Amino acid sequence: MSSPADMPVGRMVGGGPRNTFRHDVGPPGSAAGGHLAGTIASMTSHEPTKVLVAVAWPYAQGPLHLGHMAGAYLPADIYARYRRSLGDDVLMVSGSDVHGTPITVRADEMGVTPQEIVDKFHPEFLTYWDDLDIAWDLFTTTGTETHREVVQGFFLKLLENGYLYRHTTEQYFDEQEDRFLPDRYVEGTCPNCGYLDARGDQCDNCGKTLDPIDLIDPRSKLSGTTPVLRETEHYYWKLSAFNEPLLAWLKQQEGWRPHVVNFAVGMVGEGLHDRAFTRDLDWGIPLPVDDIGPGKSIYVWWEALMGYFSAPQEWAKLQGDPDAWRAWWEDPKAETYYFVGKDNIPFHAIYWPALIMGHGGLNLPTDVPANQYVTFGGLKASKSRGVGRPLGWYLDRFETDGLRYAIAQSLPESNDTDLSDDEIVRRVNDELVAAWGNLVNRVVSMTSRYFDGVVPTPGDLSEADSAALERSVATLEETGAALDAVRLRAGIARAMHGAQDANAYLSDLAPWQTAKTDMERTATTLWVAIQLVATTAVSLSPYLPSSSRKVLEAVGVMVPDRGPSWTTPVVASGTVLGDLGPLFAKVEIEPED
């Protein structure tokens, strides 16, 4: 058995790749020439990279809510779209976790089979992704044959490397129901914070991971009776062997969010203990060995994490190239980002890296940009506890990009963020519609009115023109820098600042006034304004993919399927503007809603 202490501990990470931009601006008064001139920004050095964007697997046992979108799914999509715009080869994967005990608990409550629960909610998740414009490469489930094969192979690899061993232990048993109780079938008082309704796997109040035997005053979720302890044999994972290599690796991650790395370092520093790797449950991935008796499955906590490894392999098979996944998992130049909520930090910053070390030959995480919680009225969003509206409620009332915008402006990256319906409406109406949508409509409308919808030929650029174009380059560059560092909330704020700059430029130059006396000045102002609109649309494209595409195509910028390139487009004079119409609609929510 190789020692984990001898294994490489990964790469020091300080955020994503930085981009170098150049811009050439003629001196004040120089001719723009009416062709591809003015301020131009272009990437001069970026080597295309394989980027795996791995996103938390939701339990297929109930509707999702805005907390899920803000915590993991929208941030992952924004980041993946940005990296694609750089020319990187991005693979974004996730899927429904179909083996979690929340599913069997829900099935027991409803008197149906676990598969019936999965068959109800997995298709519902797929509609969410379509409605929110989430661009997966693969959103699958942990119920596929590929996943089963990969998980069982992972198990055998850990066993071969000496990190799994058999152990007889005591587990809670419900005498009334005549069955062993998996972790979520046991509830009680948290020994850490005193929360009365902690689960046998985790306390929702303080976030501590637990074992059922840790609970004070345990009770069976099935019968409400006090369970008893009985002996059962399981495979255990030698997690304790990874204390030193995990701590060394974690201390290298200087670019990670402080709350993520501090939590992980603190937890590992306290000492990791061996954990059960199997459980007494038929609903799950069966063991590839038969030496501990029937009715056992691989613990869903570890099995679901392996979905990040199985989903790329499933994707590769679907492409007709079964080995294609290796470029993301075995090439040390590849990067991997795990988008999760803070309750999943232990699993993605500690347990999953330890499993990867135990397997050997696979890339460790580049970053785990876990978000904090979204709260509603100060309470953590929770589908199980009914806190926060279902996602479908918002999808019925908001345009896709409007909802994406409001969530992105409130991402809980460093602190919990409280969301209210009024705040979401305000974000859409007072910021997105009034600042960005209004800017686009004004520029297109004035170009139609004064130049028959054709991008005019500018005259000499004034100092104000050149400064505005320079600021638009800075907007794109600084938005990109924030996205590189996975500071997505700062990125959209910077992009919207670019829209505000463009509005200020338009107000200062007042083309509706100069059109009465100086059409050359009006032409120059609108030519510059169109460039500002195009650049702002690129800056906003990872956040607002649909409306940004509409804007860019309306001003003659061709957008590939993967989205626009992260460069400043220059809209040529003579371009006929497309029919754009109002970009966004104001939102009104009826009081009875």
Side-chain angles (χ1 to χ4, degrees):
M1 179 183 76
S2 59
S3 168
D6 298 327
M7 298 175 183
V9 293
R11 303 181 297 276
M12 184 177 295
V13 177
R18 292 291 177 191
N19 306 307
T20 303
F21 295 89
R22 93 183 141 76
H23 58 274
D24 304 305
V25 182
S30 64
H35 53 277
L36 301 183
T39 302
I40 304 172
S42 62
M43 287 184 299
T44 59
S45 62
H46 177 72
E47 182 180 351
T49 305
K50 298 285 186 183
V51 180
L52 178 65
V53 176
V55 196
W57 293 60
Y59 289 127
Q61 49 78 251
L64 301 183
H65 51 64
L66 285 191
H68 294 107
M69 297 305 110
Y73 303 106
L74 183 58
D77 185 69
I78 292 167
Y79 187 73
R81 288 179 182 276
Y82 168 67
R83 294 301 295 264
R84 291 185 188 114
S85 75
L86 295 178
D88 291 325
D89 198 354
V90 176
L91 181 59
M92 187 169 86
V93 298
S94 184
S96 295
D97 180 350
V98 305
H99 292 139
T101 48
I103 294 168
T104 59
V105 169
R106 183 72 179 270
D108 288 338
E109 291 172 347
M110 297 181 65
V112 300
T113 66
Q115 189 61 53
E116 287 177 280
I117 297 295
V118 172
D119 291 343
K120 171 179 173 59
F121 289 106
H122 178 68
E124 184 173 318
F125 292 171
L126 299 180
T127 65
Y128 294 153
W129 312 139
D130 287 341
D131 291 342
L132 268 174
D133 214 354
I134 306 294
W136 299 103
D137 291 286
L138 181 66
F139 187 84
T140 180
T141 79
T142 56
T144 66
E145 182 65 18
T146 296
H147 182 70
R148 182 188 65 79
E149 292 173 354
V150 170
V151 169
Q152 290 180 337
F154 210 112
F155 178 97
L156 292 173
K157 187 69 172 177
L158 292 173
L159 187 63
E160 175 189 341
N161 290 343
Y163 296 119
L164 294 177
Y165 61 91
R166 289 164 56 180
H167 177 61
T168 298
T169 186
E170 291 186 318
Q171 183 176 330
Y172 279 125
F173 186 88
D174 187 324
E175 293 180 310
Q176 182 171 313
E177 296 292 327
D178 193 31
R179 59 181 286 187
F180 280 104
L181 298 175
D183 44 30
R184 288 212 177 194
Y185 282 81
V186 184
E187 296 179 334
T189 301
C190 176
N192 300 294
C193 69
Y195 181 60
L196 297 178
D197 294 315
R199 304 188 310 263
D201 59 349
Q202 191 171 21
C203 175
D204 279 339
N205 187 57
C206 67
K208 285 281 189 178
T209 56
L210 302 170
D211 283 318
I213 59 173
D214 297 331
L215 295 174
I216 301 169
D217 297 327
R219 60 186 181 273
S220 168
K221 191 172 178 64
L222 290 175
S223 65
T225 62
T226 300
V228 298
L229 289 171
R230 286 193 182 179
E231 285 191 346
T232 182
E233 187 175 25
H234 284 284
Y235 271 95
Y236 268 67
W237 173 29
K238 198 175 292 185
L239 178 61
S240 58
F242 296 92
N243 264 300
E244 291 185 8
L246 276 173
L247 198 57
W249 174 72
L250 284 166
K251 288 182 176 179
Q252 293 185 41
Q253 310 314 314
E254 295 181 359
W256 287 23
R257 293 177 180 171
H259 73 273
V260 176
V261 72
N262 291 342
F263 180 94
V265 167
M267 184 172 171
V268 176
E270 291 175 359
L272 298 175
H273 304 287
D274 296 354
R275 301 297 299 259
F277 208 79
T278 58
R279 58 177 11 181
D280 291 293
L281 190 67
D282 290 326
W283 180 250
I285 302 293
L287 275 62
V289 295
D290 59 1
D291 53 358
I292 59 171
K296 314 282 186 178
S297 65
I298 296 173
Y299 202 149
V300 69
W301 273 9
W302 323 131
E303 171 239 309
L305 288 169
M306 296 173 197
Y308 301 124
F309 190 45
S310 67
Q313 296 185 52
E314 182 182 341
W315 170 86
K317 290 177 182 178
L318 293 172
Q319 308 310 305
D321 183 3
D323 287 328
W325 63 273
R326 298 183 185 277
W328 282 270
W329 270 105
E330 297 179 347
D331 183 349
K333 293 182 180 178
E335 300 174 8
T336 309
Y337 296 80
Y338 292 86
F339 286 84
V340 298
K342 71 177 178 182
D343 53 345
N344 269 320
I345 291 173
F347 298 96
H348 296 79
I350 299 172
Y351 300 140
W352 182 226
L355 286 169
I356 293 172
M357 290 178 181
H359 182 284
L362 304 174
N363 290 336
L364 290 165
T366 304
D367 197 358
V368 183
N371 274 349
Q372 305 271 4
Y373 292 141
V374 167
T375 59
F376 294 86
L379 298 175
K380 175 196 169 187
S382 170
K383 62 183 178 183
S384 62
R385 291 189 287 169
V387 180
R389 297 184 190 273
L391 181 58
W393 186 91
Y394 294 95
L395 293 171
D396 288 342
R397 291 162 175 78
F398 291 84
E399 295 173 311
T400 295
D401 277 2
L403 187 56
R404 286 175 64 108
Y405 174 81
I407 297 172
Q409 282 282 20
S410 304
L411 292 177
E413 293 177 339
S414 57
N415 298 289
D416 291 353
T417 300
D418 201 71
L419 265 181
S420 67
D421 297 341
D422 288 344
E423 176 65 5
I424 294 171
V425 170
R426 187 197 68 77
R427 289 281 191 187
V428 172
N429 292 344
D430 296 352
E431 297 175 10
L432 189 61
V433 176
W436 172 230
N438 187 48
L439 169 69
V440 174
N441 291 330
R442 290 169 71 199
V443 171
V444 171
S445 296
M446 284 188 284
T447 304
S448 296
R449 183 181 311 129
Y450 302 130
F451 300 100
D452 296 324
V454 177
V455 178
T457 299
D460 292 342
L461 297 182
S462 69
E463 186 173 346
D465 299 328
S466 296
L469 292 168
E470 283 188 309
R471 286 195 300 271
S472 73
V473 173
T475 293
L476 188 65
E477 186 175 37
E478 292 170 16
T479 301
L483 285 160
D484 281 341
V486 205
R487 294 173 55 242
L488 310 181
R489 187 171 176 176
I492 195 168
R494 183 62 186 87
M496 283 299 291
H497 186 69
Q500 293 161 1
D501 277 346
N503 271 311
Y505 167 81
L506 203 62
S507 296
D508 289 345
L509 275 294
W512 54 90
Q513 294 290 345
T514 59
K516 300 173 185 177
T517 58
D518 189 346
M519 287 306 292
E520 181 176 311
R521 177 63 258 170
T522 304
T524 303
T525 300
L526 289 176
W527 181 86
V528 170
I530 290 168
Q531 313 310 314
L532 303 183
V533 163
T535 302
T536 304
V538 173
S539 299
L540 286 168
S541 61
Y543 302 91
L544 313 176
S546 177
S547 57
S548 295
R549 178 182 290 274
K550 288 179 183 177
V551 171
L552 290 167
E553 291 180 345
V555 299
V557 177
M558 294 299 98
V559 181
D561 289 342
R562 62 174 171 76
S565 297
W566 199 259
T567 57
T568 298
V570 179
V571 182
S573 299
T575 299
V576 178
L577 298 183
D579 182 13
L580 193 58
L583 197 56
F584 307 105
K586 293 193 73 170
V587 178
E588 292 184 8
I589 295 179
E590 298 297 328
E592 59 267 21
D593 285 350

